[in-house]
Structure formats: structure tokens, C-alpha cells
Amino acid sequence: MCWLRAVSLISVIFLACTNGGQPSYKSQPIQRKPEYKCIESNLQYDCVFYDVHIDMQTRNVRFGFEDDTLNNQKNITFKNSTMRKLPAALLASFRQVELLDLNGLQIEEIDTYAFAYAHTIQKLSMSNNNLERIEDDTFQATTALQNLQLSSNRLTHVDLSLIPSLFHVNVSYNLLSTLAIPIAVEELDASHNRINAVRGPVNVELTILKMQHNNLTDTAWLLNYPRLIEVNLSNNELEKITYHHFVSMQRLERLYVSNNRLVVLNLYRPIPTLKVLDLSHNHLMWVEHNQAQFDKLQYLYLDHNSIVTLKLSTSHTLKNLTLSHNDWDCNSLRALFINVARPAVDDADQYCKIDYHLEHGLCCKESDKPYLDRLLQYIAMTSVVEKQRKKESCSAINAIHSVQSLVHFIKQQGVVPLQGNAQLEAEVNELRAEVQKLANEQIQQQQLLERLQAEIDTNLRRYHLPKDELARPSDSLNKLFTHLRERHLHELGKSQVLMKKADDKLKDQMDVMEQNIDLRLERIAKLRKQYALRQETMLKRQVVNQLLTQLGNHRPS
């Protein structure tokens, strides 16, 4: 036995010597931290990272060399890479970066301290990613940041006013509902969002503002930006443009408001520097009081409206004018083309409605009183629609909007004498009564919708469901129904489980009862058997007693 102990001791000493002096019976794999070094460059970037892949679970990633003096590159980009979460380690290693290109990396989240050391960064591009929100303190340390590109993300919140150093910003193609404009920004592109509110301090540096394809309904906020040169408000929900919101602008040259809902244009006091005005694809009808402004323009786009008359002076400066797809009065067109050369008009109509014909390439209608003629035409069309409505159900809201447009048109043209036409007066009175009735119905429906919305919100809170402010009431209601359905199915499943347990328990009880019955029957059978044996024993005793008696009688005396 002594030699076995000696062999074991020698084995332990050998293992200790081969494992750094510590006995080990199983080797542990070494986990390497992800490291990415900057070893390539091109004409635009002095640092190009290739094949960087970071997901939400990646930890302890390192960029650059351990010797920070070697990480002095100023222009950094990434190729063939994905970065679900922007780590703090990148700019912690490269603290002299001036240009950082993070486009198209599928970034979903930014580390809290990702820009804590970005004191020198001047241009940052994070377009074409999956960002949904940027917290307010994210760029707190980026005091030199001048150019920020965040287009084509999914942003619902970013407060640009907290980055006062910005000069150029692009947040287009996101989901923003509120835009906060920085104090010194010069060019800002916030197009293709859902913006319905604009806020921020007065900015005398902003020159180009692109707000097309949003949900804007007013322009009063423009008063804070008096040095604008170009403003694009196309494809919004504007209903009027008034001089009061542009009164402080002394440099504005280009104003684009096409594809809105404009019914009012009041630029009776001209914007002196304005050269381009795009009013196409709206609902304008009367624009003659804007002649002073029109005469000073170089490019004026009025196509696809409902304009009846237009006046320009012989001293106008227009180089290009579009007039097609309107409701022209022929006499007005003839007078207009006396002062406007045909080459300046850049479009034409091809096909005209009934009672209209081409004049100077544009569809027009002959009438002595053009606006009264359009009013009567409008009333006739409304009467047809009303008769059709009696046969078929239509939208009350659409009817109200139509009549309100008519009322607005009448107010623009002044009081139209109707005393000479009793039938016309009767139709107008009937329309007014119908408008009031529809308006009351609309108010009732709106109140009902508000109560339903409040009830939906109450139930969302009751069942602890998150409320999406951007979601429609129907979506919230569907979410609530889905939750109740899932809850019902869950409760039903629990009830079925409890019923199954109860059934199993009842079955066990029945089995026990059956076993008890079997035992009792068996006991009764035994008792009966014992009783039979006792009876038999008693009979045998009686027989024995009789035999003994007989035997005693036959003994000799």
C-alpha cells in the first residue's frame, strides 16, 4: 500500500508543475473581449473600421490601441458593420474626432455616455438607422457639434434646442410630432415627419427651413425666424397664409405652400424680397387683392386651384406663371393676357368642362357676373348633393365643410344681393337651417367620441395597458379588446385547470368510496359466514346433547 501512496503524491506534484504551480484537473477556456483597431484609411477618412458587429448584449468592447496616443484620428467611418447599440468605448478611445460617420449601422440605442468625451466632434451622421428616441442629455458634452444628420430613422423625440452649437441639421423622414429649433441653426430639414407644433427661441441665423410633408395647421411660429430666405411648407394642412406672420421677414425669397388646404391668401402688403411663390394644388378662389405681391414676383405657381379672376399690372416682373386647372372667367383672362406675354405662362389646359371653352390655352366660362355665377352654380351643385343625400347616406362632416367653404367665399366677395330672387332666398335659408342641423349633429357626435375616448383611456389605465399618444382611438380600442380577449382566455384556461383538478379529486373520492363499499360488502359476507358457522355449531351442539342424553338413558342402572 505504501507504493500506491507514493505514486499518487508524484502525480499531484507533476500536475502542479504543469499548471503554474496550482493543481488543476480541468482547463478553463479564455474569453476574449471584442477589440477593433483602426488600420485602414482613405482620402476622406483617416480611420475606417471594417466588419464591426455589436449587438445589444455585447459587453466590454474596445476600440483602438491600448496606447491612446495612437488613437489620434479625426475622421472615422465604418464599412460592412452593424452596431445595434452605440457604445461609450468608441469616443472614449478616440477623443480627437471631428467627423464621425455612423450611417446605416442599424443603431437602435445610444449608450448613456456614448458622447461624454466628444468635445471635439463637429459633424455627426447617424442617418438610416433604427433610432426611436434620443434622450435630452445625450449631446450635453458635444459643445463643438455643428452638423447633425439624423434622417431616415424612427425618431419620435429629439430636442434639438438643447444643442445650441448646431448650424446644419437634418431630421427628415422620422416620426417627430414636435420640432424644437436650436438658437443658432442656419439650415434645418425636418420634412416628412408628423410635426404639428414648432417651438424654440428667436433665431436670427436660420435661413433655410424645409417643413414639407408634415401636419402643420398654422404659420404663427414663423415670427421667431425673421432672417429666413427659403421656407418650404408644402404638403401640410394649412388653410390660410396671412401677411402678419411674415411681417418681420426682410430676406425671404422663396415660399412654397403647394398641396395644402389654402382658402385664404392675404399678402396685401408685399414681402419685398419674395421672388418665388408656389400656391399650386390648393382651394384658392379669390386672389385679386394680392396683386401688389404678385407684381413683384419672378415665379408664381397658381395651377390646380379654383381661381376665377386675376389681375397683374403692366410693370409686373414675372418670368414664369402657371394658371391651368382653375375656374377662370373669360373676360378676366382676356384682360390678363394684355399685360402678360404668352411665353411667361408655362402651362395650359387640354380638356374643358361643359359650358367652358379654351381661351389662350386655358379653360374659362363666359359670364357677366362671374362670382355670382359661381355662387349659383355652387348652390345648384349643393342642392343636387342634398337630394342625393336623401337617397343615400353621406358624411355630415363633409357636408358641413362644403357649406362652410361656400360661406367663406360669400364673405370674401362681400354681400351678394338676393332680394330679387325669392326662390334663391328660400334655398339659401334652407341651406342655413340644414347647416345648423348638421353642425349640431357634428357637436353631438364629437361629444360622444370624446366620451368613448375617455372610457377607452379609463379602461387602459384600469388594466395597466400603455397608451400610445400617436395611436388612433380605434387602435387603442383594439388593443383593449385584444387584452380582454387574452385575459378571458387566460381565466378560462385557469378555470379549466381548476375544473380538471376538481374532477380528478372527485374521481379519487369515488374510487375511495367504491373501495369502502367493497370492503363493507366483504365484511358483511364474512359476518354472514360467521353467523352461518355459529348456527351450524349450535345445531351440532344440540345433536351432541341429544346423543348424550340418549346415551345416558341407555346406561345400565
Side-chain angles (χ1 to χ4, degrees):
M1 295 299 292
C2 292
W3 67 271
L4 287 175
R5 293 179 182 176
V7 170
S8 298
L9 181 60
I10 292 171
S11 299
V12 170
I13 294 173
F14 175 78
L15 289 173
C17 292
T18 58
N19 286 280
Q22 297 294 330
S24 175
Y25 300 96
K26 184 177 181 180
S27 61
Q28 298 293 332
I30 300 176
Q31 295 182 354
R32 297 182 59 187
K33 298 178 181 179
E35 294 184 1
Y36 301 102
K37 291 182 173 59
C38 185
I39 57 176
E40 294 193 29
S41 62
N42 55 34
L43 294 177
Q44 185 176 1
Y45 300 96
D46 53 6
C47 175
V48 181
F49 285 101
Y50 282 90
D51 299 314
V52 175
H53 299 287
I54 298 174
D55 55 28
M56 302 298 287
Q57 288 74 38
T58 304
R59 297 289 183 272
N60 300 321
V61 63
R62 179 176 178 81
F63 287 92
F65 297 94
E66 293 184 4
D67 185 359
D68 289 336
T69 59
L70 300 177
N71 302 326
N72 57 359
Q73 290 80 4
K74 296 183 178 181
N75 302 319
I76 297 178
T77 189
F78 291 78
K79 301 293 183 183
N80 303 323
S81 301
T82 57
M83 193 181 300
R84 303 288 183 181
K85 184 175 182 178
L86 177 61
L90 177 60
L91 293 177
S93 298
F94 293 86
R95 301 192 182 188
Q96 300 181 36
V97 174
E98 296 179 0
L99 168 60
L100 180 59
D101 184 352
L102 301 174
N103 293 333
L105 296 181
Q106 303 180 29
I107 300 174
E108 300 177 10
E109 185 179 335
I110 300 175
D111 190 277
T112 305
Y113 303 103
F115 296 97
Y117 300 98
H119 306 293
T120 60
I121 192 167
Q122 297 178 15
K123 181 176 180 179
L124 173 63
S125 296
M126 289 194 293
S127 299
N128 296 292
N129 284 292
N130 298 321
L131 291 169
E132 296 184 359
R133 181 181 177 89
I134 295 181
E135 299 301 331
D136 292 346
D137 58 350
T138 300
F139 299 110
Q140 188 173 0
T142 58
T143 54
L145 183 59
Q146 299 178 4
N147 192 316
L148 179 60
Q149 304 293 318
L150 293 172
S151 63
S152 300
N153 278 275
R154 302 174 184 174
L155 288 172
T156 59
H157 175 81
V158 55
D159 192 341
L160 300 174
S161 65
L162 298 176
I163 318 173
S165 60
L166 287 174
F167 289 163
H168 304 274
V169 180
N170 188 341
V171 289
S172 61
Y173 293 93
N174 280 286
L175 303 175
L176 298 173
S177 59
T178 299
L179 177 65
I181 299 181
I183 193 171
V185 69
E186 296 177 358
E187 294 185 16
L188 175 56
D189 186 350
S191 60
H192 296 85
N193 278 274
R194 300 174 180 177
I195 298 170
N196 54 37
V198 180
R199 61 179 179 84
V202 174
N203 181 329
V204 296
E205 305 295 334
L206 185 60
T207 58
I208 297 178
L209 179 60
K210 297 179 181 180
M211 297 289 291
Q212 65 267 31
H213 292 276
N214 279 289
N215 299 329
L216 295 171
T217 58
D218 74 273
T219 55
W221 50 272
L222 284 171
L223 290 169
N224 286 336
Y225 314 105
R227 306 284 286 175
L228 281 166
I229 296 176
E230 177 181 324
V231 181
N232 194 333
L233 302 175
S234 301
N235 296 91
N236 277 276
E237 300 176 10
L238 300 173
E239 295 184 357
K240 65 179 179 179
I241 295 294
T242 176
Y243 172 77
H244 303 292
H245 298 161
F246 298 85
V247 66
S248 62
M249 295 188 184
Q250 301 301 319
R251 300 179 61 193
L252 185 61
E253 297 180 2
R254 299 177 293 277
L255 176 59
Y256 303 96
V257 285
S258 64
N259 292 281
N260 277 273
R261 302 175 182 176
L262 292 180
V263 293
V264 178
L265 177 68
N266 284 329
L267 296 178
Y268 54 89
R269 292 182 60 183
I271 303 171
T273 55
L274 192 61
K275 297 178 181 179
V276 180
L277 179 58
D278 188 355
L279 299 167
S280 60
H281 295 273
N282 280 289
H283 306 298
L284 294 171
M285 179 177 287
W286 187 58
V287 295
E288 283 190 353
H289 58 300
N290 299 284
Q291 179 183 342
Q293 179 68 78
F294 292 166
D295 284 340
K296 294 180 177 296
L297 297 173
Q298 294 183 7
Y299 300 89
L300 175 60
Y301 306 102
L302 296 173
D303 57 281
H304 293 85
N305 279 278
S306 300
I307 301 172
V308 178
T309 62
L310 177 64
K311 292 181 180 179
L312 293 172
S313 68
T314 55
S315 60
H316 74 82
T317 57
L318 284 171
K319 297 179 181 179
N320 190 289
L321 175 64
T322 61
L323 301 171
S324 64
H325 297 88
N326 278 286
D327 195 6
W328 294 113
D329 171 63
C330 292
N331 291 327
S332 176
L333 275 185
R334 296 185 191 106
L336 177 65
F337 275 90
I338 294 175
N339 297 330
V340 179
R342 180 62 204 179
V345 179
D346 195 34
D347 62 344
D349 292 320
Q350 293 183 352
Y351 304 101
C352 298
K353 299 181 293 184
I354 298 175
D355 297 332
Y356 288 74
H357 66 272
L358 288 174
E359 186 85 31
H360 295 281
L362 299 170
C363 294
C364 66
K365 184 179 181 181
E366 300 282 0
S367 57
D368 295 332
K369 297 179 180 180
Y371 286 104
L372 180 58
D373 177 77
R374 280 9 176 234
L375 174 60
L376 295 174
Q377 181 180 345
Y378 196 96
I379 292 175
M381 293 174 60
T382 305
S383 300
V384 171
V385 172
E386 288 299 313
K387 292 177 181 178
Q388 185 69 23
R389 187 182 66 83
K390 293 178 181 179
K391 298 179 181 180
E392 300 178 3
S393 60
C394 66
S395 170
I397 295 177
N398 291 338
I400 290 174
H401 287 168
S402 298
V403 179
Q404 286 175 344
S405 299
L406 173 60
V407 172
H408 177 73
F409 166 67
I410 294 173
K411 289 180 179 179
Q412 281 188 327
Q413 308 309 315
V415 178
V416 181
L418 301 176
Q419 290 80 3
N421 193 328
Q423 181 181 358
L424 188 56
E425 288 183 11
E427 290 186 0
V428 170
N429 291 332
E430 183 181 352
L431 282 174
R432 286 173 179 166
E434 190 66 24
V435 168
Q436 186 60 41
K437 179 181 177 181
L438 291 173
N440 293 336
E441 291 180 359
Q442 184 186 20
I443 292 173
Q444 294 175 359
Q445 291 178 0
Q446 186 65 30
Q447 292 174 347
L448 177 60
L449 288 175
E450 290 176 356
R451 289 197 297 270
L452 290 174
Q453 180 65 41
E455 188 172 349
I456 292 173
D457 293 343
T458 300
N459 282 284
L460 287 175
R461 292 191 296 270
R462 176 184 176 185
Y463 293 108
H464 305 289
L465 296 176
K467 180 183 177 182
D468 187 356
E469 297 295 339
L470 300 177
R472 296 174 300 178
S474 58
D475 296 334
S476 299
L477 188 60
N478 288 334
K479 179 191 291 186
L480 183 61
F481 283 154
T482 301
H483 173 75
L484 291 176
R485 190 181 301 110
E486 293 175 352
R487 181 175 177 175
H488 173 70
L489 293 175
H490 179 69
E491 295 295 332
L492 184 61
K494 289 173 61 177
S495 299
Q496 290 176 348
V497 170
L498 293 175
M499 289 178 62
K500 187 176 183 304
K501 289 182 178 180
D503 291 341
D504 294 340
K505 188 174 182 179
L506 181 61
K507 184 178 179 181
D508 293 340
Q509 291 177 350
M510 293 293 295
D511 292 341
V512 172
M513 289 178 64
E514 290 180 357
Q515 292 177 0
N516 290 336
I517 291 172
D518 292 339
L519 291 174
R520 289 180 180 178
L521 291 175
E522 184 177 352
R523 185 178 178 184
I524 291 172
K526 289 181 178 180
L527 289 173
R528 287 179 176 175
K529 188 174 182 182
Q530 291 177 357
Y531 180 76
L533 288 174
R534 288 179 181 176
Q535 292 292 330
E536 185 178 355
T537 302
M538 290 176 63
L539 291 174
K540 287 182 177 180
R541 285 180 179 176
Q542 291 178 359
V543 171
V544 169
N545 291 332
Q546 291 177 359
L547 291 174
L548 289 175
T549 303
Q550 293 177 2
L551 183 61
N553 294 331
H554 289 86
R555 284 181 182 179
S557 55

